[in-house]
Amino acid sequence: MWSPTRTRITGRWRTVRAAVSPDGMKYPDVFSGVYIMSPCCLSARGAGPANAANDQALEAVKNPADSAGLPFGLRAQLASAAAWSPNPKNPPLYLDLPTKNGAAQQDVLAKWAANAPLAFIDQYIGNLRQCRAIAIDVGDQDGLRAGASKLHEILDTYSIANTFEIYSGTHTSAVADRFQNHVMPFFSKNLCANAKCR
């Protein structure tokens, strides 16, 4: 789906190539700059400790409206399942969760692991070398700090230029400020909009 959509958009409109996620590493012909804000879900996840209450809450969700009362972590798990383990034969949400009836679903966990950037980054080093600029940021109180630091370390190991900032705050601290005063200036500086751009 991505390729035909991309072809149609770039064929009809002039586009500036930018990504605010790790997906930029997969499509260097589309994204020449990558800014990764407080990146989530970088590492492959295991089954983790059993939590019957969480499993029951997730299995009770029968439509999107049912998820509104769930805590953020469980809503994020549903979103991850929709993206990484969709199942057109599993109504009503058409996704598979990593646990079922209290047991880990290894096939689902394998699909999630296949989508973890720290697991697949080595396959895309050549693509990352094509990026004009790469930036990563994360809060010093963000539970995602370790994964973001690891991503930075991997890029450094491969001698891929990148900037890495640990700012004062949590995962959601000053998002509007960070976008306005960090992300937008990054792209303004690093994107090229003339006909000679690669």
Side-chain angles (χ1 to χ4, degrees), residues 156-178:
D156 279 356
T157 297
Y158 282 104
S159 299
I160 296 173
N162 71 98
T163 59
F164 179 57
E165 180 184 357
I166 298 175
Y167 59 86
S168 178
T170 66
H171 185 66
T172 57
S173 294
V175 172
D177 173 74
R178 295 215 50 83

Side-chain angles (χ1 to χ4, degrees), residues 172-196:
T172 57
S173 294
V175 172
D177 173 74
R178 295 215 50 83
F179 204 86
Q180 179 178 333
N181 296 312
H182 297 269
V183 176
M184 295 307 291
F186 167 85
F187 285 126
S188 179
K189 175 183 175 186
N190 293 298
L191 294 182
C192 179
N194 65 46
K196 294 181 181 179

Side-chain angles (χ1 to χ4, degrees), residues 64-77:
D66 290 346
S67 69
L70 294 175
F72 174 79
L74 295 184
R75 290 194 323 268
Q77 190 166 346

Side-chain angles (χ1 to χ4, degrees), residues 4 13 15 22 24 45-46 76-77 84 96 99 103 108 123 134 145 170-171 186:
W13 295 283
T15 58
R45 89 168 249 195
Q77 190 166 346
W84 298 334
D96 289 329
T99 58
V108 174
Q123 301 171 54
I134 299 171
R145 181 177 171 182
T170 66
H171 185 66
F186 167 85

Side-chain angles (χ1 to χ4, degrees), residues 14 17 32 132 191-198:
R14 182 179 183 115
R17 301 179 298 167
S32 62
R132 190 176 300 275
L191 294 182
C192 179
N194 65 46
K196 294 181 181 179
C197 293
R198 59 181 168 101

